[in-house]
Amino acid sequence: MKEKSFKFRIIDALLIIGSVLPIAFAIVLRVLTNPEADGIVITGANIFFTVKMPIQDMPITESQVNSWCVIVSLFFICLYLTHGISEKGGLRRQMIAEWIVEKTDDLVKDNMGDFFKSFSPFIAGVLGLSAFSSLITLVGLYPPTSDLNVVAGWALLVFILITYYKLKGGVLGYLKSFTQPFAAFTPFNIISEFATPVSMSFRHYGNILSGSVIAALVAAGLTGVSNMILGRLPGLLGEFPLFRVGIPAVLSLYFDIFSGALQAFIFAMLTMLNISSAFPMDDWLKRMDKKRAKKEKQSNKKSA
């Protein structure tokens, strides 16, 4: 029993280390590659290197590396939460894991219906990846959600799922939907179709980026106020950033924590609503009935 408990703790320790190491690697990489600058500088993601490609070169940026670090960290967090779970329960981590699963299942059921109940892992992944990608600013890392390319990739994946479920009602039904309610609305419906991923990506990206910019500008302004008021004092007193103590931390509660979690929730909600509303349930049921009737006829012919 003691040997089993010792192995259990060793695996726990390895899983915790595996969840922390990717973020630590990203922090070290940023310290080594981020150039020193005087004052506050607002820039995009650093480009580490560029891979030569036939059509267009592919830059490997800080946002891509941080995204993969968040994914690996979340992977080990999930392994830690599910390590040692059993039917009897008893572990606190199992209670947390069960709470996450139950809340995600309820969220998907309330917004998408029973037909899409298998979407719970996908929605949980969207929520976790988006929230943690924004929250890594708390440790000084560049948030991948501040990069339009990253968020646009998520929105493109959602757009593919929307189109896939629209086509379940039939290709003709999908094309006919562009002419509703009148044929004159076809150009507007086509624009609306492609506007969905654009609006999702820009909404998420814009809110996270604007929060980072506002926080940086406020911090710079508070530094100026501190220098203006205390600048005439001798020695270190004149250089002490008095007004930058506490106020940026309060702003961080909103821009880094609340706003990041809120945008993750909004993106997940839009994903669920857009996919479920795009699915033509009635047309799909009619197609299934026709296929079932056709199979029954074929089976009856073979048996006859």
Side-chain angles (χ1 to χ4, degrees):
M1 186 68 181
K2 292 183 179 179
E3 184 180 357
K4 183 179 180 181
S5 177
F6 177 75
K7 290 181 179 179
F8 187 87
R9 293 178 181 178
I10 290 295
I11 295 175
D12 269 358
L14 292 176
L15 293 176
I16 293 173
I17 292 173
S19 64
V20 173
L21 274 181
I23 305 301
F25 168 77
I27 294 173
V28 172
L29 188 63
R30 179 170 178 80
V31 171
L32 295 177
T33 59
N34 193 37
E36 295 183 2
D38 296 331
I40 297 175
V41 180
I42 301 174
T43 60
N46 293 331
I47 299 177
F48 295 131
F49 57 91
T50 303
V51 179
K52 297 294 183 180
M53 302 294 287
I55 299 177
Q56 184 178 358
D57 294 341
M58 181 177 67
I60 304 300
T61 65
E62 189 176 9
S63 58
Q64 292 170 307
V65 174
N66 289 350
S67 292
W68 278 105
C69 289
V70 170
I71 292 172
V72 174
S73 181
L74 283 173
F75 173 73
F76 280 101
I77 290 175
C78 292
L79 290 180
Y80 174 78
L81 291 176
T82 55
H83 178 226
I85 62 175
S86 62
E87 294 182 358
K88 296 181 179 179
L91 295 176
R92 291 183 179 179
R93 73 185 71 179
Q94 182 169 345
M95 297 174 62
I96 295 174
E98 290 176 352
W99 180 84
I100 293 173
V101 172
E102 290 175 359
K103 292 300 180 182
T104 307
D105 287 343
D106 292 340
L107 188 66
V108 172
K109 182 179 179 180
D110 293 340
N111 292 279
M112 303 184 77
D114 293 330
F115 182 83
F116 292 95
K117 60 183 180 181
S118 60
F119 259 70
S120 293
F122 177 74
I123 298 301
V126 170
L127 282 168
L129 180 58
S130 177
F132 276 84
S133 295
S134 299
L135 292 176
I136 60 174
T137 55
L138 296 174
V139 293
L141 293 175
Y142 182 84
T145 45
S146 290
D147 192 330
L148 180 60
N149 297 303
V150 173
V151 184
W154 301 349
L156 180 61
L157 176 61
V158 174
F159 175 71
I160 294 173
L161 289 173
I162 293 172
T163 305
Y164 170 76
Y165 279 98
K166 279 187 176 181
L167 289 172
K168 277 185 171 292
V171 177
L172 293 178
Y174 173 71
L175 296 176
K176 186 179 178 180
S177 65
F178 289 104
T179 63
Q180 301 297 329
F182 306 105
F185 283 83
T186 301
F188 301 102
N189 290 330
I190 294 175
I191 294 173
S192 177
E193 187 78 4
F194 292 99
T196 298
V198 174
S199 63
M200 289 183 65
S201 57
F202 271 98
R203 179 184 286 108
H204 198 325
Y205 154 78
N207 280 280
I208 300 300
L209 179 63
S210 62
S212 302
V213 172
I214 291 172
L217 292 176
V218 170
L222 292 174
T223 301
V225 173
S226 299
N227 293 335
M228 181 178 63
I229 295 177
L230 303 178
R232 296 181 180 180
L233 297 178
L236 295 176
L237 293 176
E239 300 177 359
F240 182 71
L242 176 64
F243 293 97
R244 285 191 61 182
V245 177
I247 298 179
V250 175
L251 293 176
S252 178
L253 292 176
Y254 175 78
F255 291 118
D256 294 334
I257 300 177
F258 177 75
S259 180
L262 179 62
Q263 293 307 315
F265 178 76
I266 292 174
F267 191 89
M269 286 293 296
L270 291 174
T271 298
M272 291 186 290
L273 295 176
N274 286 328
I275 292 176
S276 60
S277 62
F279 179 54
M281 178 68 75
D282 295 336
D283 294 340
W284 180 77
L285 290 175
K286 291 178 181 178
R287 292 187 67 194
M288 293 298 102
D289 291 338
K290 290 181 180 179
K291 288 183 178 180
R292 194 178 300 110
K294 187 177 180 180
K295 287 183 179 179
E296 290 179 356
K297 287 182 179 179
Q298 292 177 353
S299 62
N300 292 331
K301 289 180 179 180
K302 290 180 180 179
S303 61

